Amino acid sequence: MVRDFHSDIFGENVFIFSSEDNPKEVQKILDSIYAKQEANQFGKERYAVYFLPGTYHSKIFPHVGFYTQISGLGYLPSETKIKHLDSLARWLGNNPDNHNACCNFWRGVENIEVDSDTVWAVSQATFFRRSKVNGTISFHDEGGWCSGGFTADCIFDEASDSGTQQQWFSRNNEYKYWNNSSWNMVLCGDLMTQPLQGMWPEKPYTVIESTEVIREKPFLVFDDENGFGVFVPPVKRNSAGVDWKTGKDSLEGTFISIDDFYVAKPGDNASKINSKLSAGKHIFFTPGIYELTEPVIVSNKNTVILGSGFATLIPVKGTEAMIIEDEDGIIVSGILFDAPQCGGKTKIPVPENLLLVGREKTDKKHNENPVVFSDIFFRIGGTKTTEPAKTKNCITINSANVTGDNFWIWRADHGDQVGWTLNEAENGIIVNGDNVTMYALMVEHFNKHETIWNGNGGKIFMYQCEIPYDVPSQEVWMSHNESVKGYSSITVADNVTDFYGTGIGVYLLNRAAPVTLENAIELPDSPGVKLEHVVGVMIAGYPGMNHLVNGKGPSFLRGFSKDILTEYCNGISK
């Protein structure tokens, strides 16, 4: 089945190793991938590296670069043990002592046990899931800059050190203890042997005792009896800690044979993928870039869409890349949505959305079997193209009872074809559906609002936002019929009566022009609308950010400054 470290099932961008393989040959391939991917920030190459269950030679050491996923193929992390693993931040070259991880995006690790100290120096659009580290884990590279990341369903046996991380979201992990903090550290459903040293507002920790509703991300598995398949964990409610510690016999979930999936490969078109979906297949996207002339339409309930190695979908005819119909239990994980080149010579219409969840808002509920998205990333611009990339919005959610777990929605602030009128996108995410819950929602740099929330019952557990750096003048950046300076990062509609957010960070850096943001957040003053633990940071520039919420809080002046709110509800701030 596995031939020259590949399987015919998954194609040439997926490597599958066995503990019986020659470690020198394995390491040579790992080094070759890393040599291509360490600094390949906007490249087209994509890789997934899987290790069959077993214990691996101590000389095997995966270094994880861009668009690379490292995973075990057991049902438990303990079935796949490796000695070493890391993601370093030494490729920028601007200062060998800086170790700047602020651009260490698009990489992930899951379902593996690492038997040594580990460096995982990353920022947005990354994941470290369902794994165990028998040693310390450092979420920075020797104190270099870093801008936030995501961990879930892991056990860390020794110290976990966030170091210089500006923010971090941690969910359903088990720690011995946690060191350090910067602006906004959110721990949800975590278990910790030793308590945190300080709490909000003295320390920027937000602790939520349990995770209200979540479904852990599906993952590829292999065993001798069933062959390859995808294991789908169940929905869990009010949970804390990992869900796999008690062993395989007590593991809850569903095995779906790979025979029930259509395994898509780069070059497959949307028509072929849709025909497989219509026939009742799930979809496994292997690593690569998929140019789509029509949307991938997911219309059967309980369908699983699983991407591997940062599979990337680009709509090239002005449509959405994917439409999720308003059905129960659909799961979408591990996909990077890229905006298309629009205008100019290409003459492609600008898409309304890259991902549409429910064509319109209805009364249909999915509370017993929610729609779940995990490790979903969006990008507008930055890649080497002949025309700028554009979209109006990245994602609109019309369906109810949707859960999002680790989103990065990014209008590029660097790279090729980047500028205020080049890689244009008005808004990051629009939520119209009711009872939508987001864990780790990160949205950055949009021309207008980053987040628009129109549905009732919404919840955000950790929010990270950078306001656009490249606003050219105040005149082009005025909201409310040009009566208010700037566009708030989160805008909750006036008719919303039930909304909650906690661990909210909004940051402003005026790189292009001296502009003012009047309010970081705008929401209705209602007893059922509440924020907790809000932080705003003026990173650099002037004049700055006037208020955190609804005209409350002191003004920010030029240069670096920071302010926090512990609580805001119904016009009262603390």
Side-chain angles (χ1 to χ4, degrees), residues 297-572:
I297 300 175
V298 185
S299 57
N300 294 326
K301 67 179 183 179
N302 299 322
T303 297
V304 176
I305 308 293
L306 180 58
S308 176
F310 295 84
T312 303
L313 308 187
I314 306 176
V316 296
K317 292 293 183 181
T319 68
E320 296 86 357
M322 184 178 289
I323 297 174
I324 309 298
E325 302 288 9
D326 198 12
E327 296 292 341
D328 279 357
I330 293 172
I331 299 170
V332 182
S333 300
I335 301 292
L336 169 59
F337 292 89
D338 234 345
Q341 299 179 63
C342 294
K345 297 178 181 178
T346 60
K347 305 299 183 184
I348 297 172
V350 176
E352 186 74 15
N353 297 280
L354 301 179
L355 173 61
L356 181 63
V357 185
R359 293 180 187 265
E360 59 185 14
K361 184 173 181 176
T362 70
D363 294 330
K364 193 169 185 177
K365 307 300 182 187
H366 307 287
N367 53 301
E368 295 301 319
N369 190 10
V371 178
V372 179
F373 294 87
S374 304
D375 299 337
I376 300 296
F377 311 125
F378 300 84
R379 179 173 60 193
I380 300 92
T383 56
K384 294 181 179 180
T385 57
T386 57
E387 299 288 343
K390 301 177 189 288
T391 186
K392 184 176 180 182
N393 313 295
C394 285
I395 173 174
T396 295
I397 299 175
N398 291 315
S399 294
N401 308 107
V402 172
T403 298
D405 190 39
N406 191 24
F407 277 42
W408 189 40
I409 307 173
W410 187 57
R411 175 181 166 262
D413 60 271
H414 62 275
D416 286 359
Q417 300 287 351
V418 168
W420 186 251
T421 58
L422 294 174
N423 61 324
E424 293 175 306
E426 289 187 6
N427 309 300
I429 179 171
I430 300 173
V431 177
N432 298 320
D434 294 335
N435 302 310
V436 172
T437 299
M438 286 284 166
Y439 301 99
L441 176 59
M442 309 182 199
V443 195
E444 297 187 319
H445 307 306
F446 285 83
N447 295 90
K448 292 186 177 180
H449 295 291
E450 316 293 325
T451 300
I452 298 174
W453 206 289
N454 300 317
N456 265 305
K459 294 181 179 179
I460 300 175
F461 298 96
M462 194 273 190
Y463 181 82
Q464 180 262 326
C465 171
E466 291 178 358
I467 301 298
Y469 298 163
D470 58 344
V471 181
S473 68
Q474 192 73 67
E475 288 72 22
V476 303
W477 200 51
M478 299 284 292
S479 61
H480 297 276
N481 294 318
E482 300 186 356
S483 64
V484 175
K485 294 179 179 180
Y487 286 82
S488 58
S489 175
I490 300 176
T491 298
V492 181
D494 289 341
N495 62 344
V496 170
T497 58
D498 182 2
F499 176 86
Y500 176 74
T502 187
I504 309 296
V506 179
Y507 317 132
L508 177 60
L509 190 162
N510 288 342
R511 189 168 65 188
V515 296
T516 297
L517 174 63
E518 184 64 23
N519 289 298
I521 302 166
E522 296 174 339
L523 43 71
D525 287 331
S526 169
V529 177
K530 183 178 181 180
L531 297 175
E532 293 183 319
H533 299 189
V534 181
V535 58
V537 180
M538 185 68 205
I539 299 173
Y542 64 94
M545 189 189 305
N546 277 351
H547 304 288
L548 286 180
V549 185
N550 288 7
K552 305 292 182 179
S555 295
F556 292 93
L557 302 176
R558 69 181 65 189
F560 179 84
S561 55
K562 182 174 74 170
D563 189 34
I564 63 171
L565 287 176
T566 296
E567 180 181 310
Y568 183 92
C569 183
N570 204 23
I572 300 173

Side-chain angles (χ1 to χ4, degrees), residues 37 39-46 66-67 91 103 105-106 289 338 379-385 408 410 412-416 418:
Q37 301 301 100
N40 196 13
Q41 184 176 189
F42 294 112
K44 297 181 178 180
E45 294 78 10
R46 307 282 188 273
F66 284 102
Y67 312 108
W91 58 274
C103 293
F105 312 137
W106 306 304
I289 296 175
D338 234 345
R379 179 173 60 193
I380 300 92
T383 56
K384 294 181 179 180
T385 57
W408 189 40
W410 187 57
D413 60 271
H414 62 275
D416 286 359
V418 168

Side-chain angles (χ1 to χ4, degrees), residues 45-109:
E45 294 78 10
R46 307 282 188 273
Y47 296 100
V49 176
Y50 290 98
F51 291 90
L52 290 163
T55 299
Y56 285 79
H57 195 280
S58 62
K59 292 185 178 180
I60 291 176
F61 196 150
H63 302 283
V64 189
F66 284 102
Y67 312 108
T68 304
Q69 177 179 336
I70 305 290
S71 302
L73 287 170
Y75 289 83
L76 304 173
S78 57
E79 293 182 65
T80 309
K81 298 182 180 182
I82 65 174
K83 184 67 177 177
H84 305 285
L85 179 145
D86 68 22
S87 176
L88 300 177
R90 305 180 183 182
W91 58 274
L92 280 172
N94 55 347
N95 183 343
D97 299 321
N98 201 18
H99 298 176
N100 184 350
C102 286
C103 293
N104 270 15
F105 312 137
W106 306 304
R107 63 195 71 200
V109 169

Side-chain angles (χ1 to χ4, degrees), residues 52-213:
L52 290 163
T55 299
Y56 285 79
H57 195 280
S58 62
K59 292 185 178 180
I60 291 176
F61 196 150
H63 302 283
V64 189
F66 284 102
Y67 312 108
T68 304
Q69 177 179 336
I70 305 290
S71 302
L73 287 170
Y75 289 83
L76 304 173
S78 57
E79 293 182 65
T80 309
K81 298 182 180 182
I82 65 174
K83 184 67 177 177
H84 305 285
L85 179 145
D86 68 22
S87 176
L88 300 177
R90 305 180 183 182
W91 58 274
L92 280 172
N94 55 347
N95 183 343
D97 299 321
N98 201 18
H99 298 176
N100 184 350
C102 286
C103 293
N104 270 15
F105 312 137
W106 306 304
R107 63 195 71 200
V109 169
E110 61 186 16
N111 200 32
I112 209 160
E113 183 171 327
V114 185
D115 198 24
S116 66
D117 294 345
T118 300
V119 174
W120 185 246
V122 297
S123 289
Q124 295 84 1
T126 61
F127 57 87
F128 203 102
R129 288 184 180 267
R130 193 182 178 83
S131 294
K132 187 173 188 291
V133 176
N134 301 321
T136 63
I137 186 162
S138 299
F139 298 121
H140 61 98
D141 187 352
E142 298 184 358
W145 299 338
C146 34
S147 182
F150 174 94
T151 45
D153 204 25
C154 294
I155 295 176
F156 302 106
D157 271 354
E158 297 297 334
S160 301
D161 183 17
S162 63
T164 47
Q165 284 287 355
Q166 294 171 352
Q167 60 273 317
W168 196 271
F169 182 77
S170 170
R171 181 185 58 68
N172 288 83
N173 298 299
E174 299 188 15
Y175 296 97
K176 185 175 182 180
Y177 60 94
W178 181 286
N179 281 335
N180 288 311
S181 60
S182 292
W183 297 344
N184 185 31
M185 325 306 285
V186 180
L187 298 94
C188 180
D190 285 343
L191 301 178
M192 202 162 296
T193 304
Q194 300 180 20
L196 292 166
Q197 298 301 304
M199 295 295 291
W200 190 282
E202 288 75 24
K203 295 285 187 178
Y205 292 121
T206 297
V207 175
I208 303 121
E209 289 188 0
S210 63
T211 303
E212 290 189 6
V213 57

